[in-house]
Amino acid sequence: MNWETIWREHWKEIYLYIYYRTNNKEEAEDITQETFMKAIRSEHRYKDQDVTVIALLKTIARNLMIDRWRNKQKRPITTQMEPHIMFESDEKGPEELISDKDEVRYALSLLNEDQQQIIKYRILQGYSIKKTAELLGKTESYIKVNQFRAIEFIRNQLKNDDWRYCK
């Protein structure tokens, strides 16, 4: 495999895939680099198999993110808190998080089929605009415009408290 060519063709897509999940530029850069290094080191394992490079890279990236998340969870966090702050929290509890997911799921259901597919490919699965356009048989500008419209629509729906009573 020509890893230099693979790097040039896929580094941005892998970086964005990771960045959308970590929301941290430095961490996304580190994991992107680690992903390619691990792929190169383990090339002998999948060399004779029929594996698409992008699927392999995304799988490695996902596993690296999971490993980092697990390692962060294992480290004890110690912090000194004032007694009156300990019982005041802006964090959402499990019930509120489930409610938020239901709201997002409902808002997505209000989108047209194309917009749902675009959001699924672009945001949930991390595909590039170009790849999403290929999968849906649309132009890249169509994908960009409809992604923007879908996100704006969802944002407006979630801001509007009245929509909850329409379910």
Side-chain angles (χ1 to χ4, degrees), residues 27 31 34 38 60-75:
E27 189 171 20
I31 295 173
E34 240 180 289
K38 192 165 188 166
I60 292 170
R62 188 193 73 222
N63 290 338
L64 288 170
M65 286 185 284
I66 290 170
D67 289 346
R68 281 188 179 218
W69 179 80
R70 285 181 181 152
N71 287 335
K72 285 180 183 176
Q73 298 301 315
K74 289 180 184 177
R75 285 188 221 137

Side-chain angles (χ1 to χ4, degrees), residues 13-153:
E13 184 175 352
I14 297 301
Y15 170 80
L16 291 173
Y17 174 80
I18 297 165
Y19 180 78
Y20 286 132
R21 285 152 182 78
T22 62
N23 285 325
N24 183 309
K25 182 180 179 235
E26 291 80 18
E27 189 171 20
E29 289 170 355
D30 290 347
I31 295 173
T32 300
Q33 183 176 355
E34 240 180 289
T35 298
F36 280 91
M37 293 305 295
K38 192 165 188 166
I40 291 168
R41 276 188 252 126
S42 62
E43 180 179 6
H44 65 279
R45 284 193 227 153
Y46 54 84
K47 194 175 186 180
D48 299 328
Q49 298 175 2
D50 187 27
V51 176
T52 61
V53 174
I54 196 68
L56 173 71
L57 292 171
K58 284 186 177 181
T59 300
I60 292 170
R62 188 193 73 222
N63 290 338
L64 288 170
M65 286 185 284
I66 290 170
D67 289 346
R68 281 188 179 218
W69 179 80
R70 285 181 181 152
N71 287 335
K72 285 180 183 176
Q73 298 301 315
K74 289 180 184 177
R75 285 188 221 137
I77 299 172
T78 57
T79 181
Q80 192 67 24
M81 294 184 79
E82 297 295 323
H84 68 280
I85 296 175
M86 290 173 63
F87 299 103
E88 296 174 12
S89 174
D90 290 337
E91 279 191 37
K92 295 182 177 185
E95 301 85 12
E96 291 164 312
L97 290 173
I98 290 169
S99 175
D100 288 351
K101 284 183 181 181
D102 289 341
E103 291 173 10
V104 171
R105 198 173 286 121
Y106 178 73
L108 283 171
S109 74
L110 298 175
L111 299 174
N112 66 42
E113 187 66 31
D114 277 353
Q115 289 174 330
Q116 286 180 12
Q117 289 297 316
I118 290 167
I119 296 298
K120 176 183 152 193
Y121 288 135
R122 290 282 298 131
I123 296 173
L124 301 178
Q125 294 181 356
Y127 288 123
S128 66
I129 291 172
K130 183 177 181 180
K131 182 68 175 177
T132 302
E134 289 172 11
L135 290 170
L136 296 177
K138 305 287 184 185
T139 65
E140 290 181 33
S141 61
Y142 178 89
I143 300 300
K144 289 177 190 176
V145 167
N146 278 286
Q147 178 182 339
F148 175 79
R149 288 178 181 165
I151 290 170
E152 283 300 304
F153 180 79

